[in-house]
């Protein structure tokens, strides 16, 4: 394997792991549920996506010919991540989870904060 | 749902068939003639046998615009992730989250689904609810300073191209 | 060089999984815990793919694909249960 290819794979893997870590960090440290929803849906999905691209390049360089079947996982994740985010968010909306006070336009009455 | 008496056509969903062939070839990770044949058989047979379960077939009125839209969304996903990463790593007290009601101009279920998914994948916004009767999407945004401008941006950037791609040909 | 990069990224993903586990344990509400589980399975996919590269074995791809499918179905079923009190109506 040439050095340039190795650097490319390393960059892709490192960027992917950074994004996955940042997404999980967002899940751990943001204040309310709806803000936490943002971390996993975007950062983690792109993180796994770029790790998968790195893996495609790696396995294609190992054997003769392209090895594209990891692309299936990336496609599947990009289709399902918004759907699962939507349905978890809908469940939270249904339960009227407490929001951060600064949030504008909370779609339910917030006078009784102890629901 | 509207017409339950489908008449059987030989190729009910051409785009779906093409996509299934592509998926099959990816799955077996080979482009040998035998796999092409098997994939083509499955890609024709499954839509043919299940055609009465599909609500309607999509009409793609402009493939060129669709490609442009996909590239735009991919670029936005990458760009959005840097923004969200900066927001997450930055000060928590400066974030200004908000719920936004995005009114819908789209009519078909499929295009609304695409719009909602696109919004979820791009800059700091997640679709949390859809109100079909009143015709709006409820979107939560991680950090927004001007709500009206953000709504206009979503409508201009994502809804208008989707409308052009899918709903222009249908009356 | 590549091997050490893969080890570093494996460590980073493990750290991300630990953060998710923390959220799963403290998560004040049920949707928080579901979201943490959802993120955990996405990170597990990354972990499996990296481990497959570390072992030079493309068989781990199949496992990752199965985790992706099962994780999605699990998330949707749990959220649906919270929404309606029933999974299949």
């Amino acid at each position: 394997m040439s050095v340039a290819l190795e650097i490319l794979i390393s960059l892709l893997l490192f960027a992917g792991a950074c994004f996955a870590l940042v997404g999980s960090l967002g899940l751990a440290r943001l204040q309310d549920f709806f803000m936490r929803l943002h971390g996993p849906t975007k950062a983690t999905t792109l993180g796994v996506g770029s790790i998968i691209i790195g893996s495609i390049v790696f396995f294609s360089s190992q054997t003769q010919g392209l090895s594209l079947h990891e692309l299936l996982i990336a496609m599947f994740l990009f289709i399902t991540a918004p759907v699962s985010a939507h349905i978890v968010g809908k469940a939270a909306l249904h339960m009227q989870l407490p929001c951060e006070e600064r949030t504008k336009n909370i779609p339910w009455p917030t006078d009784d904060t102890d629901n | 749902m509207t017409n339950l008496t489908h008449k059987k056509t030989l190729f009910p969903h051409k785009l779906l068939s093409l996509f299934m062939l592509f998926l099959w070839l990816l799955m077996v990770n080979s482009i040998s003639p035998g796999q092409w044949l098997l994939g083509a058989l499955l890609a024709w047979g499954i839509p043919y046998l299940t055609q009465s379960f599909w609500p309607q077939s999509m009409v793609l009125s402009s493939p060129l615009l669709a490609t442009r839209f996909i590239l735009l969304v991919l670029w936005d996903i990458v760009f959005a992730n840097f923004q969200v990463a900066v927001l997450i790593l930055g000060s928590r007290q400066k974030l200004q989250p908000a719920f936004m009601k995005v009114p819908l101009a789209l009519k078909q279920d499929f295009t609304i689904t695409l719009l909602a998914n696109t919004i979820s994948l791009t800059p700091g916004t997640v679709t949390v609810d859809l109100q079909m009767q009143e015709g709006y999407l409820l979107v939560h945004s991680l950090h927004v300073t001007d709500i009206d401008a953000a709504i206009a941006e979503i409508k201009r950037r994502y809804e208008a191209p989707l409308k052009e791609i899918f709903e222009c040909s249908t009356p | 060089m590549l091997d050490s990069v893969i080890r570093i990224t494996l460590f980073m993903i493990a750290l991300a999984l630990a953060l998710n586990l923390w959220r799963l344990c403290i998560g004040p509400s049920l949707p928080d815990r579901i979201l943490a589980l959802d993120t955990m399975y996405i990170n597990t996919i990354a972990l499996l793919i990296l481990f497959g590269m570390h072992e030079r074995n493309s068989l781990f791809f199949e496992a990752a694909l199965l985790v992706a499918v099962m994780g999605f179905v699990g998330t949707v079923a749990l959220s649906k249960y919270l929404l309606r009190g029933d999974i299949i109506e």
Side-chain angles (χ1 to χ4, degrees):
Chain A
M1 207 185 309
S2 69
V3 179
L5 211 56
E6 229 174 85
I7 289 173
L8 175 70
I9 296 172
S10 305
L11 277 180
L12 280 169
L13 290 185
F14 193 69
C18 280
F19 275 123
L21 192 56
V22 165
S24 303
L25 204 66
L27 181 74
R29 80 186 276 260
L30 291 177
Q31 291 105 327
D32 72 3
F33 173 79
F34 292 98
M35 290 160 85
R36 287 197 278 267
L37 196 55
H38 290 278
T41 46
K42 285 183 271 293
T44 315
T45 312
L46 187 76
V48 176
S50 87
I51 286 178
I52 283 171
I53 295 174
S55 144
I56 290 173
V57 177
F58 176 77
F59 281 113
S60 299
S61 69
Q62 288 265 302
T63 55
Q64 285 86 7
L66 281 172
S67 167
L68 280 176
H69 64 343
E70 282 95 342
L71 209 60
L72 270 181
I73 300 179
M75 273 164 63
F76 186 81
L77 272 185
F78 271 81
I79 295 170
T80 57
V83 178
S84 51
H86 171 81
I87 198 157
V88 178
K90 208 169 165 173
L93 210 62
H94 178 73
M95 293 172 76
Q96 305 200 340
L97 289 183
C99 282
E100 178 64 27
E101 284 162 22
R102 295 190 304 270
T103 309
K104 289 179 187 165
N105 296 335
I106 298 175
W108 56 79
T110 47
D111 298 319
D112 47 343
T113 44
D114 52 346
N115 39 11
Chain B
M1 291 296 264
T2 45
N3 56 338
L4 287 169
T5 52
H6 280 281
K7 60 176 196 290
K8 289 239 171 188
T9 47
L10 207 53
F11 293 103
H13 303 281
K14 295 180 186 66
L15 270 179
L16 182 71
S17 296
L18 213 62
F19 186 62
M20 284 176 78
L21 176 61
F22 177 65
L23 276 189
W24 176 261
L25 291 176
L26 272 186
M27 190 97 127
V28 296
N29 206 15
S30 134
I31 46 168
S32 65
Q35 296 297 353
W36 275 94
L37 195 67
L38 198 55
L41 202 68
L42 284 171
W44 167 76
I46 293 172
Y48 178 72
L49 291 174
T50 58
Q51 60 180 297
S52 49
F53 296 110
W54 293 86
Q56 77 217 39
S57 69
M58 282 316 302
V59 185
L60 195 66
S61 56
S62 125
L64 195 72
L65 268 178
T67 320
R68 235 189 72 196
F69 181 71
I70 289 171
L71 288 179
L72 172 83
V73 169
L74 278 179
W75 166 248
D76 277 1
I77 288 172
V78 176
F79 186 66
N81 272 286
F82 282 101
Q83 278 184 332
V84 171
V86 169
L87 287 179
I88 287 174
L89 293 175
S91 163
R92 290 191 288 182
Q93 304 308 322
K94 281 186 194 148
L95 292 178
Q96 173 59 66
F99 284 97
M100 310 187 282
K101 284 181 179 176
V102 180
L104 282 170
L106 302 168
K107 294 283 180 291
Q108 297 169 5
D109 293 351
F110 180 72
T111 25
I112 293 174
T113 314
L114 270 185
L115 177 67
N117 282 5
T118 312
I119 289 174
S120 287
L121 278 173
T122 47
T125 47
V126 171
T127 315
V128 282
D129 200 13
L130 162 66
Q131 293 287 337
M132 273 302 250
Q133 285 88 23
E134 296 153 61
Y136 67 84
L137 286 170
L138 189 63
V139 173
H140 182 269
S141 177
L142 186 58
H143 180 75
V144 64
T145 42
D146 186 352
I147 292 179
D148 290 331
I151 293 175
E153 173 76 8
I154 287 174
K155 288 186 80 70
R156 184 184 63 79
R157 205 172 168 90
Y158 306 118
E159 193 180 21
L162 274 175
K163 197 170 171 59
E164 204 167 334
I165 291 167
F166 287 107
E167 294 194 359
C168 264
S169 56
T170 51
Chain C
M1 183 186 87
L2 195 59
D3 273 324
S4 47
V5 167
I6 288 177
R7 280 205 193 95
I8 292 169
T9 47
L10 273 171
F11 173 73
M12 286 165 81
I13 299 287
L15 203 66
L17 275 167
L19 283 171
N20 295 339
L21 192 64
W22 186 62
R23 175 54 70 191
L24 183 68
C25 292
I26 65 161
S29 62
L30 274 175
D32 273 305
R33 289 171 211 264
I34 297 176
L35 190 65
L37 265 182
D38 187 72
T39 319
M40 270 182 106
Y41 91 74
I42 297 181
N43 281 332
T44 311
I45 296 168
L47 198 70
L48 273 172
I49 291 173
L50 282 171
F51 193 66
M53 286 171 72
H54 185 255
E55 300 286 303
R56 303 284 192 277
N57 188 343
S58 64
L59 268 183
F60 284 91
F61 152 78
E62 253 92 338
L65 192 60
L66 276 180
V67 170
V69 174
M70 291 298 150
F72 172 64
V73 173
T75 308
V76 169
L78 283 171
S79 313
K80 192 91 197 221
Y81 181 73
L82 282 189
L83 263 177
R84 308 274 169 136
D86 208 347
I87 295 171
I88 300 170
E89 285 151 38

